[in-house]
Amino acid sequence: IKLQKNDMLDKIVEIEKDVALKYGIKVCDVYSAWKKLKDNRVDTTGLLANGLNHPIREAHDYIAIKIIETIFEIK
């Protein structure tokens, strides 16, 4: 929680994306997608089974769609 609150997680994700780009690796950025949900007033904490970092069963579908979009470059 401390990492989330002080923007450290955002910095870590950006570094990971930069490294992936450098090596030509596709990234399924579920973190940014999750942040967009929150920005659109979705209760993302309510989508977490443990209230911290593990999605509920129904949220797995959302993540699976994001993975498929990444693999097949669907926008």
Side-chain angles (χ1 to χ4, degrees):
I1 293 174
K2 187 187 278 188
L3 289 176
Q4 272 183 299
K5 299 293 183 191
N6 69 6
D7 295 327
M8 182 58 73
L9 192 52
D10 289 40
K11 293 173 188 170
I12 291 169
V13 169
E14 286 307 311
I15 291 168
E16 292 171 337
K17 289 176 7 182
D18 288 345
V19 170
L21 181 63
K22 177 180 176 180
Y23 291 99
I25 300 168
K26 286 184 183 181
V27 173
C28 180
D29 188 359
V30 175
Y31 181 68
S32 291
W34 202 261
K35 285 175 59 175
K36 284 181 186 176
L37 288 174
K38 185 175 181 172
D39 291 345
N40 287 299
R41 296 193 170 110
V42 172
D43 176 16
T44 52
T45 302
L47 295 175
L48 299 172
N50 62 358
L52 178 63
N53 62 2
H54 189 81
I56 60 174
R57 183 178 306 257
E58 294 81 4
H60 285 140
D61 292 341
Y62 178 74
I63 294 167
I65 289 167
K66 293 298 176 191
I67 293 169
I68 291 167
E69 289 173 350
T70 300
I71 291 170
F72 295 104
E73 299 179 349
I74 301 168
K75 298 289 176 182

